[in-house]
Structures are given as structure tokens and as C-alpha cells.
Amino acid sequence: PAVHAVGLDHVMLRVTDLEKSAAFYRTFFGNERPRTKDKPERVWFQIGNTRLGLESVAGNKPAIDHVCITVAGFDRRAVETALKQLGVESSPSNDEKLLRFRDPHGIICELKAV
């Protein structure tokens, strides 16, 4: 494999009503973690070792925005080379610690060092 995945860091869901979605997930997972105040505002829930994030997107259908996978022995250059061999280009990310790309169906995948 191109990487040694050891877990999911987080899954980000795009929702049309942030407060309604937060209330729904709060009934399952308990209180949310502190919200991010950046734009877009995000609500976070801790589920074991994985976080579930909710992000409001006006006018769009609810969807999975991206998944972030934790990787052991993360070598960014080696992974970028492996992705290029698969015909996949990495995408810009607002976090230098992440390597971001799209799967064949357009879902954003992020890789993050453990």
C-alpha cells in the first residue's frame, strides 16, 4: 500500500442546518466539543479516537465533505509520488500538515501523520 493507515482522524459532513444537525448528533454522542469560530463554523463530536465534524453549507445537498486518515511513518514526498503513479494529483490544503487529494469519485481524502 502507498501508506500505512492507522485510523480515521475525522469525517466532515456538510449539512444544510447546522443547529438541527448538531442537536441530532448530540442525542447520540453527547455534548459537542468547542466549535471553531473560523469560517465556515464547524461543530465537532468525539467518537472514540475519531472526530465527526459538521459544517454548514447553504443551498447544497448534505454530503460527506472529506475524510481524514491518520498515517504512521508519513513521508509526504513518497506518498505524492505514489499518488502520481496512480494518476492522482494532490490538492491544495489550508493545513501544511495534511496531504489532500480526491478519490476517483471526487471525495476529498486527507492524510495526516500520527
Side-chain angles (χ1 to χ4, degrees), residues 30-114:
N31 289 334
E32 63 203 55
R33 299 184 58 130
R35 294 182 181 210
T36 57
K37 298 301 178 190
D38 302 341
K39 296 293 180 194
E41 180 182 11
R42 293 178 172 163
V43 176
W44 292 97
F45 293 91
Q46 190 69 41
I47 306 167
N49 293 329
T50 304
R51 294 176 297 146
L52 173 68
L54 307 175
E55 177 179 292
S56 182
V57 180
N60 290 335
K61 292 173 68 173
I64 295 174
D65 182 67
H66 68 270
V67 297
C68 182
I69 301 159
T70 52
V71 176
F74 183 65
D75 180 340
R76 185 183 185 99
R77 287 188 182 143
V79 173
E80 286 177 325
T81 299
L83 288 173
K84 283 182 184 178
Q85 290 174 347
L86 294 170
V88 176
E89 293 292 324
S90 58
S91 303
S93 171
N94 58 355
D95 186 340
E96 293 180 8
K97 298 175 186 175
L98 298 176
L99 177 62
R100 181 179 267 198
F101 61 96
R102 292 186 181 270
D103 80 354
H105 300 285
I107 297 171
I108 298 169
C109 298
E110 296 176 336
L111 302 177
K112 178 181 180 180
V114 176

